[in-house]
Amino acid sequence: MDLHKLISMLADGEFHSGEEIGECLGVSRAAIWKQIKRIEELGLDVFKVTGKGYKLSAPIRLLDGDRIFDGLNSSASSWIRKLDVLTITDSTNQRALDLADTVAGKGYLCFAEYQSQGRGRRGRKWVSPLGSNLYFSMVKEFANGAAALEGLSLMVGLSIVNALKEFDIGGLSLKWPNDVILEGKKVAGILLEMTGDPSGLCQVVIGVGINVAKSKMMDEIDQAWISLGEVSNSSLDRNQLAISVVNSLVASLEKFEVEGFAAFRPGWSEYDALKGRSVSLTTANNSINGDVVGVDDTGGLLLRTEGEVKCFKGGEITVRLES
Ligand code: BTN
C-alpha cells in the first residue's frame, strides 16, 4: 500500500473509517491495520475508535514540493535542478551525497518527512519523526576545495536564524560552530559533508534539521532541545518555513562565495550565545578551558586561555558553570 496516500488521507486529523480507507486505497482491513502500525512506528499518534475508524491525534500539513518550489525567490529557484520530497528515507544527506557529482546533483534540494538514519555531528543520531520537523539537504559546489569552506557552517546557522526571524521567533542565538539555540536549548542542527577533491573542485552537502513540533520519539534525544512550536503563537507551516530557510540560505551562499565568512561575522556576533562565557573546548586529543572572545574572519573560535587569545578551528564546546 502507498504509505504516503494513507498519511495524506489522515493528515486532516478527522476520523476515517476502515471502509473508506480500504475503498480509497484498494486494500483490505488487515493491510490497513499493518500500515497504521507502521505510521505509529514512524512517529505519528493514531487513535482507533470502534465504529469511527482512525484519526491522527492532531492534523498535520505535509511537505509539498510544488508549493515549496513556487514559493522560492528567483535566485533560489534558478539554482535548483532537482527537488525531491521523500516520505521516508535513510538520510537526506546520504541522498544528496549519492547525487552530488552528477549534473542534477549540483543544484539538488532534498526534503524528507522521516529519516530512518538521520545523522548528526560527531557520529550522533538525528532523531527524525515523521511529519513534525524539517529535514533537508542541498548540494553546493565549490571550486577551491576545503579552504573555501572556512566559516561555511557558521554562515548556514546565521542564515537559519535570519529566516526564523520572519516568523517572529525571538530568543534565538548561535552556539559555535553551528547549533541554533532557542531559549538556551538546541532547536536546529547543521551537518556539512564534503565529497570530491579536497583541494580543488568539491561538492558540499549542507544538511539542516529544525525541530518544529514536539513528538514522543524525540524523548530519546540526550541533550537539551526545544521546538519552534513551543514558542510560536501561530501554527507553523513547514512548507513556508522551508521556503524561507532555503531562500535565506541561497542568498547567503551567493554572498559567501564572493566575500567569505568575514561578511557574516558581525551578524554572527550579534547572536553569539557564548561570547564572554567560560567554556571547555574538547578537541580530538585535548581539552582547553578559556573565555570566549568571539569568532574571527574565518569562523574560528577566539578563546582567551592562559592570558592570550588563541584561535581554534574545531572541537566541541561545553559551557562551564560560573562560580
Ligand atoms: C547536528 O548534530 O547538530 C547536525 C544535525 C543535522 C541533521 C540534518 S537533518 C537533514 C540532514 N540529513 C541528515 O541525516 N542530517 C542532516
Side-chain angles (χ1 to χ4, degrees), residues 273-321:
L274 298 176
K275 204 187 285 173
R277 306 291 301 268
S278 294
V279 301
S280 290
L281 176 73
T282 309
T283 58
N285 42 23
N286 212 346
S287 181
I288 304 129
N289 292 341
D291 295 328
V292 176
V293 175
V295 295
D296 73 359
D297 276 351
T298 67
L301 179 78
L302 297 172
L303 206 58
R304 187 181 306 279
T305 173
E306 292 165 356
E308 57 175 320
V309 176
K310 292 184 189 162
C311 180
F312 295 89
K313 298 286 182 192
E316 192 81 347
I317 295 267
T318 320
V319 176
R320 290 158 64 214
L321 290 177

Side-chain angles (χ1 to χ4, degrees), residues 156-306:
V156 176
L158 180 60
S159 69
I160 295 172
V161 166
N162 285 333
L164 294 180
K165 280 194 296 196
E166 287 175 33
F167 296 85
D168 262 350
I169 291 170
L172 288 161
S173 61
L174 287 159
K175 181 184 167 207
W176 187 88
N178 57 16
D179 285 351
V180 180
I181 305 292
L182 177 59
E183 297 189 344
K185 297 173 197 155
K186 182 156 167 170
V187 71
I190 296 151
L191 178 68
L192 302 187
E193 296 188 84
M194 199 180 102
T195 177
D197 179 356
S199 55
L201 193 67
C202 63
Q203 294 84 34
V204 179
V205 169
I206 301 171
V208 175
I210 303 178
N211 300 334
V212 182
K214 273 182 163 178
S215 158
K216 247 193 270 163
M217 196 185 270
M218 289 157 83
D219 289 348
E220 67 179 85
I221 300 176
D222 60 0
Q223 55 182 316
W225 65 273
I226 190 168
S227 61
L228 296 176
E230 289 170 66
V231 302
S232 167
N233 295 325
S234 49
S235 93
L236 289 161
D237 175 2
R238 290 180 305 141
N239 289 299
Q240 200 49 52
L241 204 59
I243 292 166
S244 298
V245 176
V246 173
N247 278 339
S248 170
L249 204 46
V250 172
S252 297
L253 280 166
E254 284 174 353
K255 188 168 175 179
F256 182 85
E257 267 194 306
V258 183
E259 301 176 49
F261 177 71
F264 298 89
R265 185 180 171 192
W268 208 91
S269 299
E270 206 183 308
Y271 291 98
D272 190 344
L274 298 176
K275 204 187 285 173
R277 306 291 301 268
S278 294
V279 301
S280 290
L281 176 73
T282 309
T283 58
N285 42 23
N286 212 346
S287 181
I288 304 129
N289 292 341
D291 295 328
V292 176
V293 175
V295 295
D296 73 359
D297 276 351
T298 67
L301 179 78
L302 297 172
L303 206 58
R304 187 181 306 279
T305 173
E306 292 165 356

Side-chain angles (χ1 to χ4, degrees), residues 91-93 115 118-121 126 136-137 186 189-190 208-209:
S91 151
T92 56
N93 262 35
Q115 298 184 115
R119 317 208 264 247
R121 289 175 62 230
W126 189 258
F136 76 88
S137 302
K186 182 156 167 170
I190 296 151
V208 175

